[in-house]
Amino acid sequence: MYVVLALIAADKGDYLSADAEFTKAIEMNPEDPNIYYHYGQVYYLIGDLTKAQSNFEKAKSLNPKNVFAHIQLACITYRHNDVQKCFEMFNQAKSIFPTAPEIPNYLGEIMFDKGDVENATKQFDISAKLQEAMPGNNIGVLPLINKSVIFQKTNEFDKCIEILEKAVKIDPKSEIAWTNLGQVYLLTQKMEKSMECFERACRLCRSSEDRKQSIALLESAKCQLKVKEDPVLSEKVREIMAQYGQR
């Protein structure tokens, strides 16, 4: 109960209340690894990496099978700019959890952040294959979404769309996949399709902030479609853009 209250408070940005609730939870059950893991997550989000690391280490010691504790500790090491040790920690985690799709996915994210696109792509592919073989949901279509971002960065929109269309087919309840697909459709002037994606994302949103973002994207698509269908308005927009470009 206290952990739930702590997470609700943290979600609202009330970290003092969250800290108080976590303290109560630990007092009641000091050997519960989930408390320390979620506590570490909150500290990680607010940028207190020292306290985050301490809590993740406690969670890992109490439950060595928590793959995310291993991953978070490796990510903290990366944020401390110790890249070699970070990779060593990921390799160690791979040896402990050889079939866990989470590990290559988050390793791929770090490789992509470093600019190693080739190896990042390989890790996302491995993660997607492992996820496909898993009976549970685990990280769902996140590896596919991450891979699509690579092609979006290189303006290979056809490949990006192909991957995201596969993602929403596999998991039609993935708000992130629908949002990303809608954004790529919008970039490629497929306004009708982008609107459909943003409408789906709106229905799947779990927070008011995410819903606001989806609605804003939907309205942007509607606006662009209106401009596209109105030749007079399109010409005015081109004139304004031309003037802006000349400056």
Side-chain angles (χ1 to χ4, degrees), residues 1 48 66 177 190-191 220:
M1 174 183 174
D48 191 335
N66 184 344
K190 297 180 177 69
M191 268 72 83
S220 175

Side-chain angles (χ1 to χ4, degrees), residues 127-172:
S127 179
K129 289 178 181 177
L130 289 172
Q131 177 60 56
E132 189 175 347
M134 297 291 289
N137 190 39
N138 291 69
I139 53 172
V141 292
L142 187 55
L144 294 176
I145 294 171
N146 282 331
K147 185 179 178 181
S148 75
V149 173
I150 292 175
F151 291 115
Q152 186 174 342
K153 293 286 186 182
T154 56
N155 295 325
E156 297 176 82
F157 296 118
D158 288 342
K159 290 181 180 179
C160 184
I161 288 172
E162 181 183 351
I163 293 169
L164 288 171
E165 286 180 341
K166 179 180 178 181
V168 296
K169 186 177 181 180
I170 293 172
D171 184 6

Side-chain angles (χ1 to χ4, degrees), residues 4-24:
V4 174
L5 292 173
L7 294 175
I8 291 172
D11 189 55
K12 294 178 179 178
D14 186 356
Y15 297 111
L16 287 176
S17 295
D19 184 68
E21 297 297 341
F22 274 121
T23 301
K24 293 175 187 175

Side-chain angles (χ1 to χ4, degrees), residues 194-204 214 218 222:
S194 71
M195 288 164 57
E196 292 174 8
C197 292
F198 295 141
E199 286 172 353
R200 290 290 293 268
C202 282
R203 291 196 291 270
L204 293 167
S214 294
L218 176 59
K222 288 179 180 178

Side-chain angles (χ1 to χ4, degrees), residues 145 171-180 197 200-202 204-207 210-211 213-214:
I145 294 171
D171 184 6
K173 293 184 179 181
S174 173
E175 169 204 336
I176 300 174
W178 283 112
T179 299
N180 284 27
C197 292
R200 290 290 293 268
C202 282
L204 293 167
C205 288
R206 287 171 287 184
S207 72
D210 289 340
R211 189 168 291 105
Q213 182 184 7
S214 294

Side-chain angles (χ1 to χ4, degrees), residues 40-219:
Q41 283 283 72
V42 171
Y43 277 124
Y44 189 84
L45 288 173
I46 64 176
D48 191 335
L49 299 184
T50 301
K51 289 184 178 179
Q53 182 175 346
S54 175
N55 280 281
F56 287 136
E57 286 174 347
K58 183 70 173 179
K60 178 183 170 184
S61 67
L62 291 171
N63 180 17
K65 293 183 179 180
N66 184 344
V67 63
F68 284 106
H70 291 260
I71 291 169
Q72 291 287 29
L73 287 168
C75 290
I76 288 174
T77 302
Y78 176 71
R79 290 187 62 178
H80 285 312
N81 296 317
D82 194 342
V83 179
Q84 183 177 348
K85 186 178 178 182
C86 168
F87 287 162
E88 289 173 358
M89 293 173 75
F90 268 110
N91 287 331
Q92 183 183 25
K94 278 185 177 182
S95 67
I96 300 171
F97 310 98
T99 61
E102 299 92 341
I103 296 169
N105 176 72
Y106 291 105
L107 176 57
E109 288 186 3
I110 285 177
M111 289 178 169
F112 183 52
D113 186 66
K114 279 181 52 58
D116 189 351
V117 174
E118 182 179 354
N119 282 316
T121 304
K122 288 179 181 177
Q123 293 300 319
F124 293 142
D125 285 338
I126 292 170
S127 179
K129 289 178 181 177
L130 289 172
Q131 177 60 56
E132 189 175 347
M134 297 291 289
N137 190 39
N138 291 69
I139 53 172
V141 292
L142 187 55
L144 294 176
I145 294 171
N146 282 331
K147 185 179 178 181
S148 75
V149 173
I150 292 175
F151 291 115
Q152 186 174 342
K153 293 286 186 182
T154 56
N155 295 325
E156 297 176 82
F157 296 118
D158 288 342
K159 290 181 180 179
C160 184
I161 288 172
E162 181 183 351
I163 293 169
L164 288 171
E165 286 180 341
K166 179 180 178 181
V168 296
K169 186 177 181 180
I170 293 172
D171 184 6
K173 293 184 179 181
S174 173
E175 169 204 336
I176 300 174
W178 283 112
T179 299
N180 284 27
L181 181 57
Q183 288 175 322
V184 179
Y185 278 145
L186 196 58
L187 286 170
T188 53
Q189 298 296 297
K190 297 180 177 69
M191 268 72 83
E192 293 90 345
K193 287 187 174 182
S194 71
M195 288 164 57
E196 292 174 8
C197 292
F198 295 141
E199 286 172 353
R200 290 290 293 268
C202 282
R203 291 196 291 270
L204 293 167
C205 288
R206 287 171 287 184
S207 72
S208 59
E209 286 302 314
D210 289 340
R211 189 168 291 105
K212 287 177 183 177
Q213 182 184 7
S214 294
I215 291 172
L217 289 167
L218 176 59
E219 292 303 315

